[in-house]
Amino acid sequence: MSAHPVAGNGRRRPLIRLACTCVVYSAAMRRRDFVSGLGAGVLAAAGIPACSKQQAGSDAVVGGKTYNWKMVTTWPPNFPGLGTGAAWLAKTIEAASGGRMRIRVYGGGELVPALEVFDAVAGGTAEMGHGAGYYWKGKSEAAQFFGAVPFGMEVIEVNGWLYHGGGLDLWREIYEPFGLVPFPAGNTGVQMGGWFNREINSVADLRGLKMRIPGLGGDVLRRAGGTPVLLAGGDVYTALETGAIDATEWVGPYNDLAFGLHQAARYYYYPGWHEPGSVLECIVNKRHWDELPEDLKSIVSTACQAANLEMFAEYTAFNQQALNTLVEEHKVEVRRFPDAVLKRLEELSREVLEDLAGRDEMVRRVYTSYKEFLEKAARWQSISELAYLHTRS
Ligand code: CA
């Protein structure tokens, strides 16, 4: 793609005006740093011409305070998709800020235990964290809606709600009393239903099932007669392999293959009804956030948005490869949950959400917003994504 915008009459329009704008703003926004960090290709794809080094170098301000931050995460270090997503975000912020922000990433357990990320960032042990909202239901039940909602929105829909449907505003309101500023910073897409050592042929097979499944999905399993267990990712394999749990969900083929879960369970069920479009979050300690100059705030915010896209792209590219490996090399038996099981789980999911909304004012507000957006989105999805995917052979 050319960086030259095309005028309405088809002729190429000269770049003089845009190039000048770029130079004018570069001092205030340190645009040169932003441009060099993101790369001209990204800007060209967005229809924005990049400044040449000669243009930007004459008046761009470099220097100022350097921020050395720590990012604690709930993921094993550099774990595919999740850990690499957190590392990508840190690297992108450092590059886009021209090194004015340096972020050291810690895997779960390296600085603080994986499931203490929320407290660590709220308390200032680390300035930044990367995790998922459903891990923090003990802090706020409503936080779970910003992780995953059983039979809820998938990635396209949830991004629409968060960025343009009031979702992110509600999320900020919920984390504000904890002194945290949240950002969507990744999405796994539709997850798998999980690994089971027993067949699920009917709803009755869920009774007595001890399964690692966090958040609202866990509440639904409990209502179906099972026992949900919350374990951080690093503990999942051992629990399944030793029989401490009968089943586990984790993410999808890309992550599950890396954990070797196929060595500890027999059946791989789909779809991930409990996590149809899981959002990963970047959380920032509000006191440290408020200290950042406006341009760095913009860089962090934009990098999180880019990380949201990048992670989903990574999952899209590698899930299918890993699924082939699981099926072809490891002879994994992939099964679909029976329709009757999915139907019952959807009914129970609605009950769980309605009950929660009935006893928690903030959940009621979030659930109302979420449900209204989903209803509208579903109407459009049915004649766009869904109709198209059913049409494609
Ligand atoms: Ca999961």
Side-chain angles (χ1 to χ4, degrees), residues 134 191 212 249-251 274-275:
Y134 50 60
Q191 299 199 356
R212 184 270 178 194
E249 69 80 53
W250 177 225
V251 184
H274 61 299
E275 294 198 52

Side-chain angles (χ1 to χ4, degrees), residues 97-146:
S97 69
R100 289 162 61 221
M101 283 192 83
R102 298 180 195 280
I103 299 168
R104 182 166 175 190
V105 180
Y106 294 86
E110 288 187 334
L111 189 63
V112 298
L115 297 181
E116 290 179 17
V117 164
F118 189 95
D119 283 336
V121 180
T125 302
E127 294 83 359
M128 188 178 259
H130 196 278
Y134 50 60
Y135 289 134
W136 323 129
K137 64 181 282 187
K139 305 291 179 186
S140 165
E141 293 275 8
Q144 299 175 93
F145 283 78
F146 304 94

Side-chain angles (χ1 to χ4, degrees), residues 86-320:
W88 188 93
L89 174 59
K91 267 193 319 192
T92 300
I93 291 171
E94 181 168 335
S97 69
R100 289 162 61 221
M101 283 192 83
R102 298 180 195 280
I103 299 168
R104 182 166 175 190
V105 180
Y106 294 86
E110 288 187 334
L111 189 63
V112 298
L115 297 181
E116 290 179 17
V117 164
F118 189 95
D119 283 336
V121 180
T125 302
E127 294 83 359
M128 188 178 259
H130 196 278
Y134 50 60
Y135 289 134
W136 323 129
K137 64 181 282 187
K139 305 291 179 186
S140 165
E141 293 275 8
Q144 299 175 93
F145 283 78
F146 304 94
V149 176
F151 294 93
M153 298 191 219
E154 48 76 78
V155 58
I156 294 172
E157 296 159 342
V158 82
N159 281 333
W161 179 60
L162 288 170
Y163 293 125
H164 294 284
L168 185 52
D169 292 338
L170 284 165
W171 195 359
R172 295 254 159 93
E173 188 179 334
I174 291 161
Y175 280 27
E176 206 276 333
F178 300 97
L180 293 171
V181 184
F183 298 86
N187 198 301
T188 64
V190 180
Q191 299 199 356
M192 285 292 284
W195 298 88
F196 293 72
N197 272 319
R198 64 163 91 160
E199 291 182 55
I200 304 297
N201 295 318
S202 70
V203 178
D205 293 323
L206 297 174
R207 287 192 202 119
L209 186 78
K210 199 168 177 189
M211 178 174 180
R212 184 270 178 194
I213 175 170
L216 294 163
D219 293 339
V220 176
L221 178 68
R222 183 180 292 110
R223 206 164 280 221
T227 304
V229 178
L230 178 59
L231 292 172
D235 301 323
V236 170
Y237 178 86
T238 304
L240 189 62
E241 204 264 335
T242 58
I245 53 175
D246 307 312
T248 184
E249 69 80 53
W250 177 225
V251 184
Y254 181 34
N255 286 147
D256 298 2
L257 175 64
F259 262 1
L261 294 177
H262 56 284
Q263 296 165 32
R266 191 161 173 198
Y267 307 110
Y268 198 19
Y269 274 92
Y270 73 95
W273 56 272
H274 61 299
E275 294 198 52
S278 302
V279 178
L280 290 312
E281 66 182 11
C282 172
I283 50 176
V284 180
N285 177 288
K286 187 162 187 313
R287 188 168 55 79
H288 290 282
W289 173 254
D290 289 341
E291 285 174 2
L292 289 181
E294 290 304 312
D295 63 328
L296 291 183
K297 282 182 181 172
S298 177
I299 285 170
V300 170
S301 175
T302 307
C304 284
Q305 206 159 359
N308 198 11
L309 170 66
E310 167 61 20
M311 187 185 291
F312 182 56
E314 188 176 343
Y315 274 108
T316 303
F318 297 114
N319 265 336
Q320 45 89 16

